Amino acid sequence: MKILHTSDWHLGRAFHRVSMLGAQAEFIGHLVTAVREHAVDAVVVAGDVYDRAVPPLAAVELFDDALHRLADLDVPTVMISGNHDSARRLGVGAGLIDRAGIHLRTEPAAVATPVVLADAHGDVAFYGLPYLEPALVKDEFAVEKAGHEAVLAAAMDRVRADLAARAPGTRSVVLAHAFVTGGEASDSERDITVGGVAAVPAGVFDGVDYTALGHLHGCQTITGRVRYSGSPLAYSFSETDHRKSMWLVDLAADGTVTAERLDCPVPRPLARVRGTLDDLLADPALTRHEDAWIEATLTDAVRPADPMARLTERFPHTLSLVFAPDRAPDDPDVSYARRLAGRTDRQIAEDFVAHVRGAGPDERELTVLGEAFDAAREAAQ
């Protein structure tokens, strides 16, 4: 069975205030063409269909168009909700849409109810694990402590139990939206940390033939059977070096997996340039970036006059301007930036308490801080 694995469409998202709807529509067309040209048997979309819980009308219309075009191919499609989606909104009409071969899986309680497709070698069970916010689903999965690993492990126990009750030789595919250990993040994924822990081990998905992951925006292989497709488009300059693609997965009769990357259309290349303003405007080596979307980091000791206007004369698609003056190592601004680099919001808050009070938070205060950040994240779902 040939399976096309994609995720993280983020329909409705802009790139530094530039609308991506046109590029997203081009990707949908590319997806439909790939399904046809590669004789794909099933499409899987591993979450974050939309960029936010209440998407703009234009994004909804694009999703509607995608559903119709996929249904017209008569190729089954399985989709799950991600942490950016509203599971309830995305799942409206799922029962009716099922009849068109588009299978939306947004209910945590239904993780062990697969979409069963068949090929010449027998059944393949597709299990959809929508994004499982630990605090919201811990009762459903009867876990004592709300955490990503605990709820995903409980969900996978249900999947394995259902699979064990099926006919011998039934192959299996799991769709999940999670941060799996070994994955490389970028700046454009929303933080899903709970209690200071976001990542879950790949071993959680043991026992199934292929796990199609969503959430991280870089296409990557965690194991031969566990992969991220990544987003089809770049949504931050941290993705400048990403090769945007989908996985064409061949699931053999014995459950063996082989996978090939299919490149996605690039609406415009990205480039990060760094230097003084005069150097950036004069450097002949940067000619190749003149048509790219640009993030420019200026290292001038003194902020130059009209930097954006001057940059866009050479680089008309400059979208982001960062000032990072070259400073001595003992400059207080340098040391502060280094202290913040790579730290989570919660760690920064703990540092702030220590700075103001002269001592860090105690155990009770750490608990309060953790609960506050978890509550803020849950409220955004």
Side-chain angles (χ1 to χ4, degrees):
M1 182 174 285
K2 284 187 178 180
I3 302 164
L4 190 61
H5 168 197
T6 177
S7 73
D8 295 273
W9 294 357
H10 289 278
L11 300 182
R13 185 163 186 161
F15 182 74
H16 288 267
R17 300 178 300 282
V18 174
S19 172
M20 297 297 284
L21 275 170
Q24 290 168 339
E26 184 180 359
F27 162 71
I28 297 299
H30 170 74
L31 171 70
V32 170
T33 299
V35 171
R36 187 184 301 112
E37 291 183 350
H38 293 276
V40 169
D41 299 301
V43 176
V44 297
V45 186
D48 281 354
V49 175
Y50 290 122
D51 187 56
R52 55 182 185 266
V54 184
L57 178 59
V60 177
E61 291 173 340
L62 180 55
F63 180 56
D64 181 65
D65 177 63
L67 293 183
H68 279 84
R69 295 176 72 179
L70 288 168
D72 287 345
L73 293 173
D74 200 25
V75 174
T77 299
V78 185
M79 296 182 173
I80 61 171
S81 50
N83 61 300
H84 278 250
D85 300 308
S86 164
R88 288 182 179 274
R89 289 186 176 90
L90 186 63
V92 168
L96 290 174
I97 296 172
D98 258 6
R99 301 177 188 177
I102 307 293
H103 307 283
L104 295 171
R105 292 296 182 262
T106 62
E107 291 292 333
V111 294
T113 304
V115 176
V116 180
L117 306 177
D119 64 9
H121 306 291
D123 288 347
V124 180
F126 289 77
Y127 296 91
L129 277 60
Y131 172 66
L132 301 174
E133 175 59 42
L136 301 181
V137 302
K138 64 183 181 66
D139 292 337
E140 166 64 33
F141 293 105
V143 297
E144 293 183 4
K145 185 177 180 181
H148 288 290
E149 183 175 353
V151 296
L152 272 172
M156 283 302 301
D157 284 344
R158 294 187 185 183
V159 167
R160 284 185 283 264
D162 180 83
L163 186 58
R166 295 186 177 274
T170 299
R171 288 159 291 162
S172 54
V173 174
V174 164
L175 290 72
H177 198 85
F179 190 161
V180 175
T181 303
E184 183 177 343
S186 65
D187 292 343
S188 54
E189 298 107 4
R190 182 180 295 165
D191 180 29
I192 60 171
T193 302
V194 172
V197 179
V200 300
V204 164
F205 302 103
D206 286 351
V208 297
D209 294 310
Y210 183 71
T211 299
L213 293 174
H215 180 57
L216 299 185
H217 288 184
C219 182
Q220 48 201 299
T221 299
I222 305 300
T223 73
R225 296 185 181 275
V226 180
R227 288 183 168 88
Y228 283 100
S229 67
S231 60
L233 297 165
Y235 292 117
S236 73
F237 279 103
S238 65
E239 300 170 54
T240 297
D241 295 328
H242 285 191
R243 172 189 164 195
K244 295 301 183 181
S245 57
M246 304 175 286
W247 285 113
L248 180 61
V249 177
D250 196 333
L251 185 59
D254 62 355
T256 301
V257 171
T258 56
E260 172 190 357
R261 290 179 71 174
L262 303 182
D263 290 332
C264 294
V266 179
R268 189 178 298 280
L270 309 184
R272 281 174 150 171
V273 297
R274 182 184 181 92
T276 65
L277 179 58
D278 288 343
D279 286 345
L280 296 183
L281 295 177
D283 188 350
L286 299 181
T287 300
R288 68 187 188 279
H289 296 316
E290 289 179 352
D291 196 43
W293 277 320
I294 294 289
E295 179 185 74
T297 299
L298 299 184
T299 60
D300 300 75
V302 177
R303 184 174 301 206
D306 299 321
M308 181 61 87
R310 294 168 65 188
L311 274 170
T312 54
E313 289 181 3
R314 182 179 187 188
F315 306 104
H317 304 289
T318 301
L319 299 182
S320 176
L321 188 57
V322 179
F323 292 96
D326 286 334
R327 299 181 186 274
D330 58 350
D331 187 293
D333 289 339
V334 172
S335 60
Y336 180 71
R338 288 176 179 168
R339 288 200 303 273
L340 293 185
R343 300 185 69 74
T344 66
D345 290 343
R346 177 176 166 177
Q347 289 170 329
I348 292 171
E350 293 170 8
D351 290 347
F352 177 76
V353 172
H355 173 73
V356 171
R357 194 171 60 190
D362 58 27
E363 288 300 319
R364 183 185 63 82
E365 291 168 332
L366 286 171
T367 299
V368 171
L369 278 173
E371 291 173 348
F373 277 104
D374 289 348
R377 190 187 57 261
E378 290 162 24
Q381 297 305 313

